[in-house]
Amino acid sequence: MGRFFLTTPIYYVNDAPHVGHAYTTVNADALARWHRLAGDEVFFMTGTDEHGAKVAESAAEHGTEPKNWADQTAARFEAAWRGLDISYDDFIRTSEPRHYRAVQTFLQRVYDNGYIEKGLYQGLYCVRCEDYYTEEELVGGNCPNHGTPVTFMEEENYFFKLDQFTDRLLAWYESEPEAVRPASKRNEALGFIRGGLRPISITRTSLRWGVPVPWDDGHVFYVWYDALINYLTAIGYGTDDERCAAWWPNVHHLIGKEILRFHCVWWPAMCMAAGIDPPANIFVHGWLLFGGEKLSKTMLQRLRRTAEEVKLTDVAPDVLTDDFGVDPIRYHLLRVPLGNDSDFSYDSIVTRYNADLANNLGNLAARVATVVGSKCGGTGPSPDPASPLAPVAAETVAEAGAAWERFAPHEALAATWRLIGAANALLESTEPWKMSPGAELDGVLGSALEVLRIVALLVSPAMPASARELWRRIGLPGAPEDLGVPDDAAWGGYPGGLRVEKGDPLFPRRRS
RNA sequence: GGCGGCGUAGCUCAGUUGGUCAGAGCACACGGCUCAUAAUCGUGGGGUCGCGGGUUCGAGUCCCGCCGCCGCUACCA
């Protein structure tokens, strides 16, 4: 098959990992897992953005060096992703030597191409922050962090001539209508470009914690200018041209809407300036917004927040996974449509969990296992080739695949649950628990088992551990991810003659 | 202020280029079943598609105005 290069943003280490990060990362992970299942060669990366004044400041506050501080805080992200079963192929940190090399190579080319020039940066500066603020950011005319007066400062900076790329960006958007999705986000980016672009300051002399500017000692690159290049670092830009060419520009950047501007305007322009193609696809998703009953009392206590003051960015992913389990939280994050903002609440997780996981999928597995136990001595029969479920399964596999391809995990899962519903309905209409032993009984139960097999395959990108457990319970060897779609999802793959184990409920129903 | 997004059944949301587009899931009601995690299956209820105009043979779907909520506003993930 093809190659699939997928990225999350690299997260800023000064933040603690929260549900918003998890939303992006879990969706990316599921997409990566789907593409592996579909036979693509996948490169899925995430990482951390570690430079900038805030990190240097935090390090100083903790009496340590920025690099040490970044080591500690980057580890929190790695731990969070382990906890969510994230299967990244690379975790890049912008403080790594390989990144310094890539950034310097990339920006030297931009410089050599004439798109960087020296200029004067002026702004309101807080000495203690070692950083500039805009007037809107000030609180009562003072630094929002320290409450102390700011001073007007100016320093020589290098500027990227973003303004020279207006026409090329517009032409790019015109010729690549699918580059930025969904269309509403594309329009937002276009609107910004049409509004007029200005040169942007990309270096600082007031800061040491950053990638040194190769042509001028004393300057370091500033924030986004080094961070965005991480996507190229990871594929060997500047050091392994062959590998880089294999993956670029056919990349998929999955990002949140708050960083649309950097990815959809600056980044393509930077690529053009460096003489490489802009990224093929940037998929912009919305935010999870708290609504309704936000969290349980236990969770609020753990977070030391009240229901009124808790924000989504206060919620660490493990607060949720400790309560619901990893796969149910993954599932919930994946059932949220990727694109617009969505509502997020504790109640909605419970509702979704009970309806989809406990009542439909979990209960289907349980009832099938029970009847196989009582009617077939615990040995699963093979499916009926002419089962009415066969065409439903085929349609589901096709729909799910198409949905994953268009970055719509929620639709892939919705399709899969229609197959689960069809299997539950078939059991109602045929009532195998009333049948006598024979071909008809075997056909119905074998077909139900085949649905479970196909469902395990289809949900494995979303809930890898649960899929493996379901796979094991219906007696299959190996794991779903050892197989491939769509071939192995074709009707009739369940061989029959396997031991079927009921076990405890896969997803115990929740009371509250 | 400027730019952009959103406002569709009790709840959460789908609704390509205007004409079965008035839908899904959850919740609810009634009925069936009792293999199953008080699970499942069937049926049903109808919301002036934020408000007011307009274009059109016909508009959640296009245009204008208004109201409400939200994001971005440049070097701050």
Side-chain angles (χ1 to χ4, degrees):
Chain A
M1 296 288 288
R3 285 198 173 91
F4 188 70
F5 177 21
L6 177 67
T7 73
T8 74
I10 50 173
Y11 304 111
Y12 198 57
V13 285
N14 244 28
D15 282 340
H18 58 69
V19 178
H21 299 114
Y23 177 52
T24 307
T25 308
V26 165
N27 271 280
D29 181 66
L31 285 161
R33 287 176 182 273
W34 172 266
H35 280 271
R36 292 192 192 107
L37 202 59
D40 289 336
E41 186 185 350
V42 171
F43 184 64
F44 166 39
M45 58 158 292
T46 186
T48 44
D49 177 10
E50 307 189 354
H51 291 130
K54 287 191 176 174
V55 173
E57 185 188 355
S58 295
E61 283 172 10
H62 290 79
T64 186
E65 293 302 306
K67 173 63 176 163
N68 280 333
W69 178 244
D71 286 346
Q72 293 173 40
T73 50
R76 294 181 305 178
F77 280 91
E78 296 184 83
W81 302 152
R82 270 196 304 279
L84 280 165
D85 217 356
I86 303 302
S87 63
Y88 54 76
D89 299 301
D90 197 357
F91 187 101
I92 188 168
R93 300 180 49 190
T94 56
S95 62
E96 293 177 68
R98 59 171 171 158
H99 184 62
Y100 278 51
R101 283 196 298 272
V103 168
Q104 291 182 333
T105 302
F106 184 96
L107 288 167
Q108 181 71 53
R109 284 180 192 167
V110 176
Y111 183 69
D112 293 345
N113 289 339
Y115 294 114
I116 290 176
E117 67 183 356
K118 211 168 211 178
L120 201 58
Y121 182 80
Q122 303 177 316
L124 300 167
Y125 185 80
C126 171
V127 179
R128 295 174 64 185
C129 290
E130 297 182 352
D131 202 6
Y132 290 90
Y133 291 95
T134 61
E135 286 188 33
E136 297 79 51
E137 289 172 325
L138 300 179
V139 178
N142 294 324
C143 166
N145 285 337
H146 297 98
T148 51
V150 294
T151 53
F152 179 82
M153 288 264 295
E154 55 185 28
E155 62 172 290
E156 276 201 324
N157 282 174
Y158 286 95
F159 283 74
F160 174 59
K161 300 178 184 176
L162 182 62
D163 53 308
Q164 296 195 359
F165 290 88
T166 303
D167 292 342
R168 288 173 69 180
L169 284 169
L170 290 174
W172 178 64
Y173 271 86
E174 179 70 25
S175 64
E176 304 292 338
E178 296 285 296
V180 175
R181 291 182 289 168
S184 57
K185 298 295 191 289
R186 175 179 186 269
N187 289 337
E188 214 169 316
L190 270 172
F192 181 74
I193 296 167
R194 291 188 181 119
L197 301 175
R198 308 203 297 260
I200 49 183
S201 161
I202 62 169
T203 67
R204 284 286 185 280
T205 53
S206 55
L207 181 71
R208 298 309 313 158
W209 179 232
V211 180
V213 173
W215 62 83
D216 192 342
D217 292 344
H219 288 258
V220 297
F221 291 112
Y222 196 59
V223 288
W224 282 101
Y225 254 70
D226 93 75
L228 286 162
I229 297 166
N230 87 89
Y231 303 126
L232 288 169
T233 303
I235 52 172
Y237 177 82
T239 55
D240 187 345
D241 291 344
E242 195 177 334
R243 178 161 176 252
C244 193
W247 293 101
W248 195 268
N250 195 21
V251 63
H252 302 271
H253 294 310
L254 183 63
I255 66 165
K257 66 178 183 179
E258 74 283 1
I259 51 179
L260 178 148
R261 175 155 314 164
F262 307 111
H263 284 80
C264 302
V265 182
W266 294 13
W267 180 226
M270 287 167 65
C271 290
M272 292 170 182
I276 66 173
D277 288 330
N281 175 228
I282 303 162
F283 197 97
V284 187
H285 67 69
W287 282 359
L288 301 178
L289 304 174
F290 260 144
E293 294 299 312
K294 297 168 179 172
L295 292 177
S296 71
K297 278 186 180 176
T298 314
M299 289 178 178
L300 289 170
Q301 281 170 5
R302 184 167 159 184
L303 295 168
R304 296 176 189 168
R305 292 285 194 286
T306 65
E308 290 70 36
E309 67 183 12
V310 68
K311 300 194 296 281
L312 188 92
T313 50
D314 294 328
V315 183
D318 60 0
V319 168
L320 298 175
T321 55
D322 286 354
D323 190 356
F324 289 92
V326 174
D327 280 352
I329 292 302
R330 287 178 57 102
Y331 179 77
H332 190 262
L333 292 174
L334 290 163
R335 281 307 298 259
V336 174
L338 214 48
N340 290 331
D341 292 352
S342 302
D343 220 52
F344 185 89
S345 72
Y346 179 82
D347 281 354
S348 65
I349 302 173
V350 172
T351 299
R352 182 98 71 192
Y353 176 93
N354 279 338
D356 291 359
L357 300 182
N359 296 353
N360 280 294
L361 175 54
N363 185 56
L364 175 64
R367 66 195 305 205
V368 170
T370 297
V371 183
V372 169
S374 63
K375 293 285 182 179
C376 306
T379 299
S382 55
D384 174 6
S387 169
L389 293 174
V392 180
E395 190 182 338
T396 299
V397 172
E399 282 181 19
W404 285 109
E405 292 296 330
R406 60 173 185 271
F407 283 61
H410 65 292
E411 291 180 27
L413 293 169
T416 304
W417 257 256
R418 286 195 288 276
L419 174 59
I420 292 169
N424 272 320
L426 183 77
L427 293 178
E428 290 298 325
S429 61
T430 56
E431 302 184 303
W433 45 88
K434 288 182 178 175
M435 289 180 179
S436 307
E440 192 187 359
L441 174 68
D442 287 352
V444 169
L445 290 178
S447 298
L449 285 162
E450 172 65 345
V451 166
L452 289 173
R453 186 190 72 88
I454 293 169
V455 166
L457 212 46
L458 294 181
V459 302
S460 65
M463 301 191 289
S466 302
R468 283 194 292 273
E469 173 61 9
L470 177 58
W471 196 257
R472 189 190 68 74
R473 287 188 187 194
I474 59 177
L476 290 163
E481 49 259 63
D482 301 334
L483 280 69
V485 288
D487 290 0
D488 293 318
W491 188 261
Y494 188 74
L498 303 176
R499 291 298 301 176
V500 173
E501 175 188 323
K502 180 171 182 187
D504 293 332
L506 215 45
F507 303 103
R509 189 178 162 79
R510 294 179 62 105
R511 268 309 298 152
S512 56

